[in-house]
Amino acid sequence: MREFEFYLPTRVLFGRGVVENIGKETAKLGKSALVVTGQSSARKTELLERVKDSLKESGVKPVLFEGVEANPCLETIKRGTKIAKEKGCEVIIGLGGGSPMDAAKAIAILSTNPAPLINYFGRNKVKEVPLPVIAVPTTAGTGSEVTLYAVLTNTEKVPPLKETFADPSIFPRVALVDPELTLSLPASVTADTGIDAFSHALESYLSNRSQPLSDALASEAITLLLKYLPKVMRNLKDINARSYILYASLLAGMAIAQSGTILVHGMSYRLTTDLGLSHGKACAILLPVVSEFNLSQGHPKLTSLSKCLEENTEGSTTKELVEKVITRIKNLITELGLPQNLKTRKIKKELIAEFAQEVMQNKAKLANNPRSVTLKDVIEMYEKALWGYEKGE
Ligand SMILES: [Fe+2]
């Protein structure tokens, strides 16, 4: 067995109702907290009120920063940081999906480190210890509650670019992972975020930086998501199934915190910024084609992955195993009501070439990807994902 390192400093509290601990947990870290939330759901579901009440009961002053958009931009982080500094916040709480949690991490960095924020994009660029972050996910997908990543939109680039911070100092101190908070999610968000979690698990498993512990987490996440995501789609109020997918999303987050993601995520960013696809949909249309590319010439974990997907592997050739894996992935995507590809020729060849050239600059994702790629390979994968598998389809 090869050597590996595993680092995960986040204390995780998992279970129905654990969000009620927010006041008690925050009080251990500071006297006032910036509560970062998304557009409106935390207010609509009265979660925000519950969090405020819990903070006040524990003697913590809540300061609200509401309305963080999907794929938050630099301006939003600046505004949040200004409020945090003016009000003397000592803790940043990210309450919501990936966007508010990632925004909370970025505000935590900028509260103790000099602007501009773009100086910290990349790996290990943060100098001063950020303010402590408490993460409370309300979707089962991003895994941000247990990662060292924050993805933001760099609006200073033309066109705007999704960029990532990766720094061990931004692992949340505490993650309150409460399945009841996901009960009100509509089917579309459940599917979008669910496939993101599945993609994290699969990408982690295939990543060149994967290791025994991340593999254990990723394979368990794959098994649970395959079993429970379709169940949740059939009954959105199934709290048992909701619990398992939130748990699986947590496992997948822990896995990518060690292994990183591969080209599915690497190729997805421009589909969100330029084509307006949600993060989950972008991953859904890339998953089959990128997985096929990576597995088609064989992969050391192809058999174990097939088993994990509950396929009968006995006597199968590599080609048959790859077919089984890809069919299983496509079936899951269909069960979730997501597209396997866009089948739209409206997306011009020139734009695809531009996307692909940018992917070739993302050295971290290229290094993680199990099969080396050329510009031509990336263009062909984009064409299949965006135009459909059969040329002219
Ligand atoms: Fe993701």
Side-chain angles (χ1 to χ4, degrees):
M1 192 183 245
R2 68 174 212 232
E3 281 181 16
F4 66 91
E5 181 186 333
F6 187 94
Y7 180 64
L8 204 138
T10 308
R11 198 157 68 83
V12 177
L13 276 75
F14 183 97
R16 294 176 68 174
V18 295
V19 72
E20 300 300 338
N21 294 296
I22 188 95
K24 209 170 63 187
E25 292 300 327
T26 310
K28 292 178 192 169
L29 299 167
K31 289 187 176 60
S32 73
L34 187 76
V35 184
V36 182
T37 66
Q39 303 283 10
S40 60
S41 61
R43 193 169 272 283
K44 271 190 214 150
T45 57
E46 292 172 12
L47 173 62
L48 194 54
E49 282 307 310
R50 285 169 63 198
V51 166
K52 267 167 61 184
D53 290 346
S54 173
L55 290 170
K56 283 180 193 162
E57 275 168 31
S58 298
V60 177
K61 188 178 146 219
V63 177
L64 302 187
F65 182 57
E66 295 178 79
V68 170
E69 71 279 18
N71 312 301
C73 66
L74 301 179
E75 204 45 51
T76 303
I77 306 307
K78 270 191 217 165
R79 278 194 292 116
T81 307
K82 191 165 175 274
I83 296 171
K85 283 185 173 174
E86 279 172 5
K87 303 283 182 187
C89 295
E90 295 173 329
V91 185
I92 312 291
I93 296 172
L95 178 69
S99 296
M101 286 193 283
D102 286 4
K105 291 174 177 176
I107 292 168
I109 293 174
L110 217 50
S111 295
T112 58
N113 288 272
L117 192 64
I118 51 167
N119 288 352
Y120 309 108
F121 282 127
R123 190 163 269 274
N124 301 333
K125 300 269 182 69
V126 179
K127 300 273 186 292
E128 302 297 329
V129 179
L131 289 182
V133 171
I134 296 186
V136 186
T138 59
T139 63
T142 164
S144 183
E145 66 276 14
V146 282
T147 73
L148 65 166
Y149 309 120
V151 184
L152 299 177
T153 307
N154 184 350
T155 31
E156 286 182 13
K157 290 255 172 86
V158 183
L161 191 63
K162 278 179 88 169
E163 292 200 76
T164 306
F165 304 106
D167 197 290
S169 67
I170 56 167
F171 271 110
R173 291 283 188 90
V174 184
L176 298 174
V177 189
D178 186 338
E180 284 180 355
L181 305 185
T182 64
L183 271 177
S184 58
L185 292 175
S188 60
V189 180
T190 306
D192 260 29
T193 48
I195 203 69
D196 186 28
F198 182 82
S199 197
H200 291 163
L202 188 71
E203 290 179 66
S204 173
Y205 199 69
L206 297 178
S207 167
N208 284 338
R209 281 172 50 219
S210 65
Q211 35 111 319
L213 256 177
S214 68
D215 281 351
L217 297 163
S219 57
E220 178 70 357
I222 290 171
T223 304
L224 292 174
L225 290 165
L226 280 173
K227 183 172 176 187
Y228 289 104
L229 269 175
K231 277 191 176 179
V232 168
M233 294 306 287
R234 286 193 291 275
N235 176 9
L236 295 173
K237 298 292 177 199
D238 182 341
I239 186 67
N240 187 48
R242 286 276 191 200
S243 299
Y244 275 109
I245 62 168
L246 186 60
Y247 171 62
S249 158
L250 177 80
L251 297 183
M254 290 175 171
I256 57 167
Q258 315 303 318
S259 65
T261 51
I262 59 172
L263 270 187
V264 181
H265 268 62
M267 289 173 63
S268 76
Y269 299 137
R270 288 290 295 268
L271 304 188
T272 302
T273 52
D274 290 53
L275 306 182
L277 293 181
S278 64
H279 179 56
K281 279 200 183 64
C283 289
I285 67 161
L286 288 164
L287 253 179
V289 67
V290 177
S291 303
E292 189 170 26
F293 174 84
N294 278 320
L295 296 172
S296 60
Q297 294 183 344
H299 184 284
K301 293 183 194 156
L302 179 58
T303 304
S304 57
L305 176 62
S306 310
K307 285 181 183 160
C308 187
L309 295 168
E310 291 167 349
E311 296 296 341
N312 182 4
T313 59
E314 225 164 287
S316 298
T317 63
T318 298
K319 191 166 175 276
E320 286 163 349
L321 284 180
V322 174
E323 271 174 21
K324 283 179 183 180
V325 167
I326 301 305
T327 304
R328 190 74 183 88
I329 294 171
K330 286 182 177 174
N331 287 346
L332 175 70
I333 292 169
T334 305
E335 278 179 282
L336 297 179
L338 292 164
Q340 286 173 19
N341 49 60
L342 285 189
K343 292 189 182 171
T344 171
R345 289 224 150 225
K346 282 186 189 146
I347 297 150
K348 299 265 187 305
K349 222 179 166 70
E350 298 75 41
L351 191 61
I352 290 179
E354 191 186 310
F355 292 174
Q357 274 155 6
E358 198 176 279
V359 168
M360 296 307 286
Q361 305 301 315
N362 191 338
K363 302 296 177 213
K365 290 283 187 280
L366 295 180
N368 287 355
N369 201 63
R371 186 175 158 194
S372 60
V373 287
T374 63
L375 179 65
K376 188 167 162 278
D377 294 329
V378 178
I379 289 174
E380 281 177 8
M381 284 189 273
Y382 270 131
E383 286 178 353
K384 281 183 185 172
L386 296 171
W387 290 351
Y389 275 66
E390 304 301 324
K391 288 244 162 146
E393 193 181 330

